[in-house]
């Protein structure tokens, strides 16, 4: 089966919004063996939308369309599909009733605005091309559209990512698989790694990827971002149990190959895992940040319940503040410099003592773009202090200023994770 992706919206053409939907959809379709031939963006013009649909159906079996289903005058996807099919629009009574129900449910929250009814413009969302079927929108008010045109089919979904993903997973993908004669259940298992670059993860799993290639089910994909690499194992089967059975041996082999680089699965985050490890020990954490400028504390406090183990943080950006706020010995700053293992270790010890925490974690370095104290951009020093002493680790990170700081947070958290999990000793030796 061949598919084409079509995104509608002037905001995408003008660069106001990045078309992340296409990237996500492409990955989802590729995982189930659907070939994505082309991805197109078209503006808010009915004739252009209709032409793009017609061209796409001339090349592909399926057109997956996003955007243009809202209630405003520039939401013209419904009209574009109707023109491509050579039909008119009809008001769907069930969707009209659904709109009234949804707005009535929201009335409690909208009372202050004095609007309990449905704005007249919103009823446009209940208009469907003649012959089309509505696709349910769990999180939102705009139904999707399934429209057969000739030998092909068009699926139109909202451009709002969380609405689109819900609709695609619940309605569109199962229908595509049914049409393709494929098993109707697709299961993903995500293994999350830190402290390993994407190439190292791929090398560790090379034998397993090679073994699976002739079969094609399950499949392994590597997704690198923000200094972490996710390994996604995808299986297709008649039901969830059968898919889990296909995934199990692949997951076991991957876990063995990834070793200490593996920190979690599926929706786990590195910061959540670190906080859980601290909680299991009855331990607390304080952070001292220079290079990361508060990003590390921000990641930790994004996790609900972080206050049970996270004591707080000190952003000691200026060199003299490392002395006055954290007690870093001026001799260390003068001899080794603010960007050094010795300073990172002293920062970690200082914040641990001042905030009364079990562990102190510190970052210092050079985010760039230029050098500092003769150290190149991308230099990172992570300090860690705990009940068994203190140590530091230095790294060289790739990327621009934003990326260096983002990866630095991951590296710092991973240093602490490995110590808490008993994978390494505080001095960095194997646990």
């Amino acid at each position: 089966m061949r598919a084409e992706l079509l995104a509608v919206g002037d905001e995408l053409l003008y660069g106001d919004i990045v078309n992340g939907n296409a990237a996500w959809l492409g990955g989802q379709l590729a995982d189930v063996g659907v070939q994505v031939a082309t991805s197109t963006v078209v503006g808010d013009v009915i004739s252009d939308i209709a032409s793009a649909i017609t061209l796409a159906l001339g090349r592909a079996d399926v057109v997956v369309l996003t955007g243009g289903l809202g209630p405003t005058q520039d939401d013209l996807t419904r009209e574009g599909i109707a023109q491509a099919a050579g039909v008119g629009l009809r008001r769907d009574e069930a969707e009209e009733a659904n709109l009234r129900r949804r707005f009535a449910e929201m009335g409690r929250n909208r009372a202050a605005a004095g609007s309990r009814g449905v704005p007249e413009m919103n009823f446009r969302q209940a208009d469907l091309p003649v012959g089309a079927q509505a696709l349910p929108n769990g999180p939102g008010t705009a139904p999707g559209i399934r429209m057969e045109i000739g030998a092909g089919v068009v699926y139109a979904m909202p451009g709002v990512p969380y609405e689109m993903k819900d609709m695609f997973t619940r309605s569109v993908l199962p229908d595509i698989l049914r049409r393709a004669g494929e098993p109707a259940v697709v299961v993903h298992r995500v293994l999350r790694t830190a402290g390993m670059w994407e190439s190292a993860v791929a090398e560790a799993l090379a034998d397993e990827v090679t073994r699976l290639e002739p079969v094609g089910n399950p499949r392994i994909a590597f997704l690198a971002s923000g200094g972490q690499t996710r390994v996604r194992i995808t299986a297709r089967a008649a039901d969830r149990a059968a898919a889990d059975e296909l995934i199990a041996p692949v997951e076991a082999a991957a876990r063995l190959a990834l070793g200490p680089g593996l920190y979690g699965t599926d929706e786990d985050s590195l910061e959540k895992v670190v906080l859980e490890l601290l909680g299991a020990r009855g331990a607390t954490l304080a952070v001292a940040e220079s290079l990361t400028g508060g990003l590390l504390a921000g990641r930790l406090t994004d996790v609900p319940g972080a206050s049970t183990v996270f004591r707080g943080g000190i952003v000691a950006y200026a060199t003299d503040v490392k002395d006055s706020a954290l007690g870093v010995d001026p001799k260390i700053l003068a001899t080794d410099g603010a960007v050094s293992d010795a300073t990172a270790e002293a920062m970690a010890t200082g914040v641990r003592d001042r905030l009364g925490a079990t562990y102190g974690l510190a970052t210092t370095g050079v985010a760039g773009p230029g050098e500092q104290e003769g150290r190149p951009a991308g230099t990172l020093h992570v300090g860690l202090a705990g009940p068994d002493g203190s140590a530091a680790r230095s790294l060289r990170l790739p990327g621009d200023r934003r990326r260096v700081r983002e990866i630095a947070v991951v590296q710092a958290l991973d240093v602490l994770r490995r110590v808490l999990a008993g994978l390494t000793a505080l001095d960095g030796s194997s646990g």
Side-chain angles (χ1 to χ4, degrees):
M1 176 172 281
R2 287 168 60 89
E4 293 207 10
L5 304 180
L6 176 60
V8 176
D10 288 345
E11 67 277 11
L12 298 170
L13 286 175
Y14 302 151
D16 296 328
I17 296 177
V18 175
N19 188 14
N21 287 345
W24 187 85
L25 287 167
Q28 296 295 307
L29 291 167
D31 279 345
V32 297
V34 176
Q35 180 184 356
V36 179
T38 305
S39 181
T40 305
V41 177
V42 65
D44 297 313
V45 179
I46 295 173
S47 59
D48 291 347
I49 298 169
S51 295
I53 291 171
T54 301
L55 287 171
L57 287 173
R59 299 182 294 244
D61 309 292
V62 169
V63 176
V64 180
L65 188 154
T66 56
L69 294 179
T72 60
Q73 295 92 332
D74 60 346
D75 290 310
L76 300 171
T77 291
R78 289 172 288 265
E79 291 83 351
I81 295 174
Q83 187 174 113
V87 299
L89 294 175
R90 64 176 177 86
R91 177 65 51 90
D92 187 286
E93 294 182 359
E95 290 304 323
E96 182 177 352
N98 187 51
L99 278 170
R100 294 186 189 278
R101 179 184 60 80
R102 294 293 292 270
F103 273 81
E105 290 173 350
M106 294 188 295
R108 292 185 299 273
N109 298 325
R110 298 172 61 85
S115 177
R116 292 182 178 273
V118 183
E120 188 62 33
M121 191 171 291
N122 276 83
F123 284 120
R124 295 184 67 243
Q125 295 176 304
D127 291 338
L128 299 176
V130 173
Q133 295 81 45
L135 300 176
N137 185 343
T141 60
I145 297 170
R146 179 177 60 227
M147 181 74 183
E148 295 186 5
I149 302 177
V153 60
V154 177
Y155 301 95
M157 298 179 292
V160 179
Y162 71 91
E163 294 183 23
M164 180 275 296
K165 291 178 181 180
D166 182 83
M167 187 179 295
F168 180 83
T169 302
R170 293 176 183 273
S171 300
V172 175
L173 182 57
D175 197 61
I176 289 175
L177 293 176
R178 179 185 62 79
R179 290 170 181 273
E182 293 286 345
V185 174
V186 179
V187 175
H188 300 292
R189 173 55 50 83
V190 177
L191 304 181
R192 295 179 174 269
T193 71
M196 299 177 70
W197 301 120
E198 182 181 16
S199 57
V201 173
E203 184 176 349
L205 296 179
D207 289 345
E208 191 66 7
V209 170
T210 300
R211 183 183 74 83
L212 292 173
E213 277 179 352
V215 181
N217 184 31
R219 295 164 61 95
I220 293 177
F222 303 101
L223 312 166
S225 66
Q228 302 182 54
T229 300
R230 291 167 290 157
V231 177
R232 186 175 65 203
I233 306 168
T234 301
R236 308 187 308 278
D239 54 47
R240 177 64 189 246
D244 286 340
E245 188 175 345
L246 287 171
I247 287 174
V250 181
E251 180 181 354
R255 285 178 175 273
L256 184 63
L258 295 171
L262 175 68
Y263 74 78
T265 60
D266 296 333
E267 299 305 315
D268 287 338
S269 69
L270 182 56
E271 51 269 28
K272 178 174 178 286
V273 168
V274 166
L275 291 170
E276 288 174 347
L277 288 169
L278 287 164
R281 285 184 169 219
T284 56
L285 172 67
V287 299
E289 302 184 65
S290 182
L291 168 70
T292 50
L295 293 178
L296 177 55
R299 283 277 291 269
L300 290 164
T301 54
D302 273 344
V303 180
S307 59
T308 58
V309 296
F310 183 60
R311 296 281 296 164
I314 296 174
V315 178
Y317 209 61
T319 299
D320 63 291
V321 178
K322 294 175 174 62
D323 172 13
S324 60
L326 294 171
V328 178
D329 191 332
K331 292 181 180 178
I332 292 177
L333 294 170
T335 304
D336 296 276
V339 181
S340 64
D341 277 353
T343 294
E345 187 175 346
M347 289 170 65
T349 301
V351 78
R352 175 178 183 261
D353 293 343
R354 277 162 168 70
L355 299 189
T358 313
Y359 290 91
L361 182 64
T363 62
T364 186
V366 185
E371 295 184 351
Q372 181 181 337
E373 299 179 351
R375 274 77 165 184
T379 299
L380 168 67
H381 299 274
V382 177
L384 180 62
D388 299 325
S390 61
R393 180 187 178 194
S394 59
L395 296 141
R396 180 75 184 279
L397 307 179
D400 58 15
R401 183 178 180 84
R402 180 197 60 78
R403 179 167 164 77
V404 165
R405 284 155 48 89
E406 185 180 42
I407 298 176
V409 170
V410 171
Q411 294 291 340
L413 287 171
D414 192 52
V415 166
L416 177 58
R417 173 188 72 89
R418 291 174 184 246
V419 170
L420 293 172
L423 299 170
T424 60
L426 192 58
D427 61 6
S429 60
S430 298

